Each structure stands twice: as C-alpha cells, then as structure tokens.
Amino acid sequence: MGMNSKFKKSLMITGASATGKTTLIRNISKSENLKLVPDHTTRPIRPGEVNGIDKIFLSTEKFIKQFNLGWYIEPDLSFAKYNENYYGTPSSWIEDIKNKKDKLAFISVSVAIGRKIKLAVKDNVLWVHLVANENVRKMRLLKRVIGEGEMKKRLTGGDSQEKAQDADLLIDTSNISSE
C-alpha cells in the first residue's frame, strides 16, 4: 500500500492487546481514503487518546441503555465485557460497509465479532489480524502504565492467531516499532 493507493474496501483490524492495532489503524487512515470509526467502551480514556477518534467513551449506564436498544453487534452484555469494562461494535457499521458510502477503518476487539462482520459484508472489508510475541506485548503494555493484574489479563486474554485463521491477512508486529 503506497501513499497514493486507494482502498477499494473498508479495513478491519483484530488482534490481542498490544499487537499494534491502534498504531496501524491511525497510520493507514492518515494515508488512505478511509474514515476512522471508533468502537464504544466504558473503560477509562488512556493518555494520548481522544474521545470520538480513538474510541467513544461512555458511562456504563449509557452503554447498557444503548445495548438494550440494539446499538451493538455483540450478542449479550457478558460477551461485551472485558476486564470489567464494556466494548461495543456499532451495528450501523454493517450497513455502512455494505452501502459503500464511506470506506471505514476500525478495530474489532474480538475475532468472533470480526468474523460476524466479515460474514455480513463479504468482500467489502479487508480483515487484518495482528499478532506479536509475548515479550514484545509485555514491553508495549509496560508503556501504558497498567497494574500487574491487568497486565496478566491482557497477556493471557485476547484472540490468538489460530482463532483468526479466516482473516484475509495475518501480520506479526513483533519486530515493528510503534514509535
């Protein structure tokens, strides 16, 4: 993908915590004709993140209300919960991708939801799954200044390469610097 290329479809990135999803999506959306759309979450905003660009940050009450109104693809609230926070993929993305109004760029926090989107929109989305070795992920997580408990959860949680076998492209980001 050169700077002058134009995506013919939307882009979806999946991968475990600290594999480089946000870094990749930010860099690609800057250089390509893609509209970056954030998922919704109840987790606290991290340093450097911007509400409405990186994610839509909501209160738990508002997230649950929107979930109950059918705003999200996730099948139930327990599925949408990770590390005591909720994450939601807007249902509207499927129609937006199918209608090809804009080429969207987004992160899906789970391979299961990524697969559901891919099945619904077929070839209208390029699904890229990122992996990185545990030591690299640990170093990246240390930069986020998170507690040991959350570090452990993030290193053992997330979707593996095996779960994403049907992704269009698999990229190992272990040797890629995020700086």
Side-chain angles (χ1 to χ4, degrees), residues 104-120:
L104 306 183
F106 58 94
I107 294 169
S108 176
V109 294
S110 95
V111 166
I113 294 301
R115 187 173 292 112
K116 190 172 183 177
I117 292 170
K118 182 69 174 179
L119 286 171

Side-chain angles (χ1 to χ4, degrees), residues 1 4-11 28 32-34 96-104 121-126:
M1 285 178 285
N4 295 325
S5 71
K6 296 289 183 221
F7 261 79
K8 304 282 189 254
K9 52 179 90 179
S10 291
L11 173 67
I28 290 177
E32 300 296 327
N33 189 23
L34 295 169
D96 291 346
I97 295 167
K98 281 182 179 177
N99 295 335
K100 301 180 191 176
K101 185 177 123 192
D102 290 311
K103 303 297 182 228
L104 306 183
V121 302
K122 308 285 187 249
D123 290 333
N124 289 347
V125 71
L126 175 67

Side-chain angles (χ1 to χ4, degrees), residues 40 42 58-72 77 80 86 91:
H40 296 189
T42 61
L58 304 170
S59 68
T60 299
E61 296 75 24
K62 185 165 185 174
F63 183 94
I64 291 171
K65 180 180 179 184
Q66 290 180 177
F67 185 89
N68 289 334
L69 291 171
W71 280 41
Y72 305 113
L77 281 172
Y86 291 108
S91 303

